[in-house]
Amino acid sequence: DAGVIQSPRHEVTEMGQEVTLRCKPISGHNSLFWYRQTMMRGLELLIYFNNNVPIDDSGMPEDRFSAKMPNASFSTLKIQPSEPRDSAVYFCASSLGTVARETQYFGPGTRLLVL
Amino acid sequence: AQTVTQSQPEMSVQEAETVTLSCTYDTSESDYYLFWYKQPPSRQMILVIRQEAYKQQNATENRFSVNFQKAAKSFSLKISDSQLGDAAMYFCAYRSAIYQLIWGAGTKLIIKP
């Protein structure tokens, strides 16, 4: 089992640039979650999908952030334009479903630095 | 609103000894799940152990066990025979039918050789 795969692992960009983070969930999992982790705010749920459909995007900070899941094996989180305050570690996680008993398995994260 | 509190920002323990990390939570729900995740310096979030609220028996996974006190809303993690590889941030998390994972602030565990 390859686990959740995220790319890139590290990203350094300049303010104003577009950033795209990618995630491949565990095969067979139908729920996917995007989190952001910062020292100040800890772990925050940005958005989650069930069967490729966004269920709750209330955690997306603003219109600069967008997420898509075109199929069961791929999702993107895009920031356009990026700002220094977007610097964080972004995690993707997947689970068999959204019900409480299903454990979420995390990818290795993407460390984003916006200069 | 549901909250998860980890009151110990940092803990240290001698290698091979036992350490307990505290977690309390606030909820009005009766059916929920609790988790401990470990985050080593690599930043990977790794599931350590989970507990179903309807189960009275405390969960165990090898050297890791929990003390789940539902009435007190307490969910502590005990690590026995601490090893250097246990050094990490440990996060307690709550999940229910209504809420996705709600996280504590984390406890940094230091293992002294």
Side-chain angles (χ1 to χ4, degrees):
Chain A
D1 187 350
V4 177
I5 299 172
Q6 290 186 248
S7 65
R9 294 292 305 275
H10 302 274
E11 178 80 26
V12 181
T13 190
E14 292 187 346
M15 183 174 61
Q17 297 298 305
E18 177 179 295
V19 175
T20 300
L21 311 181
R22 297 173 176 80
C23 175
K24 177 179 169 57
I26 293 172
S27 178
H29 284 190
N30 63 356
S31 295
L32 184 140
F33 306 81
W34 281 102
Y35 289 90
R36 178 172 66 177
Q37 185 180 35
T38 61
M39 288 294 293
M40 291 295 293
R41 301 173 68 91
L43 272 157
E44 303 174 275
L45 176 65
L46 300 177
I47 186 172
Y48 73 91
F49 296 84
N50 189 42
N51 293 322
N52 312 337
V53 176
I55 303 300
D56 184 355
D57 65 356
S58 59
M60 295 286 264
E62 48 198 274
D63 292 345
R64 298 184 298 106
F65 285 69
S66 62
K68 294 182 179 179
M69 192 165 186
N71 57 63
S73 59
F74 183 67
S75 177
T76 59
L77 178 66
K78 186 175 293 186
I79 309 172
Q80 167 63 22
S82 59
E83 297 183 1
R85 60 192 169 119
D86 301 330
S87 298
V89 180
Y90 290 81
F91 288 101
C92 175
S94 71
S95 69
L96 281 172
T98 57
V99 296
R101 67 175 178 270
E102 299 297 346
T103 297
Q104 294 182 21
Y105 296 91
F106 284 74
T110 295
R111 186 179 298 228
L112 173 64
L113 177 61
V114 182
L115 302 174
Chain B
Q2 274 67 2
T3 58
V4 176
T5 302
Q6 294 179 250
S7 59
Q8 307 153 316
E10 186 175 297
M11 292 280 286
S12 63
V13 63
Q14 205 72 34
E15 190 178 6
E17 293 187 347
T18 295
V19 64
T20 298
L21 309 183
S22 301
C23 174
T24 59
Y25 57 95
D26 185 25
T27 184
S28 57
E29 298 176 291
S30 59
D31 187 20
Y32 51 87
Y33 296 76
L34 297 163
F35 304 83
W36 279 98
Y37 280 86
K38 168 185 177 181
Q39 187 176 39
S42 67
R43 292 280 189 175
Q44 176 89 44
M45 293 291 286
I46 302 166
L47 177 68
V48 175
I49 200 166
R50 55 175 273 166
Q51 174 79 42
E52 293 85 348
Y54 63 85
K55 289 187 177 179
Q56 294 185 343
Q57 186 174 9
N58 290 324
T60 62
E61 287 287 341
N62 300 314
R63 297 183 295 106
F64 298 87
S65 62
V66 300
N67 183 7
F68 174 49
Q69 301 289 329
K70 190 172 183 178
K73 298 178 183 175
S74 171
F75 181 59
S76 60
L77 174 69
K78 186 172 82 170
I79 306 173
S80 304
D81 185 25
S82 299
Q83 300 175 1
L84 294 177
D86 295 334
M89 284 290 291
Y90 285 82
F91 292 92
C92 176
Y94 166 103
R95 192 177 185 192
S96 70
I98 300 174
Y99 294 94
Q100 295 301 325
L101 283 171
I102 298 173
W103 299 85
T107 297
K108 182 179 182 180
L109 179 63
I110 299 168
I111 310 294
K112 299 177 182 177

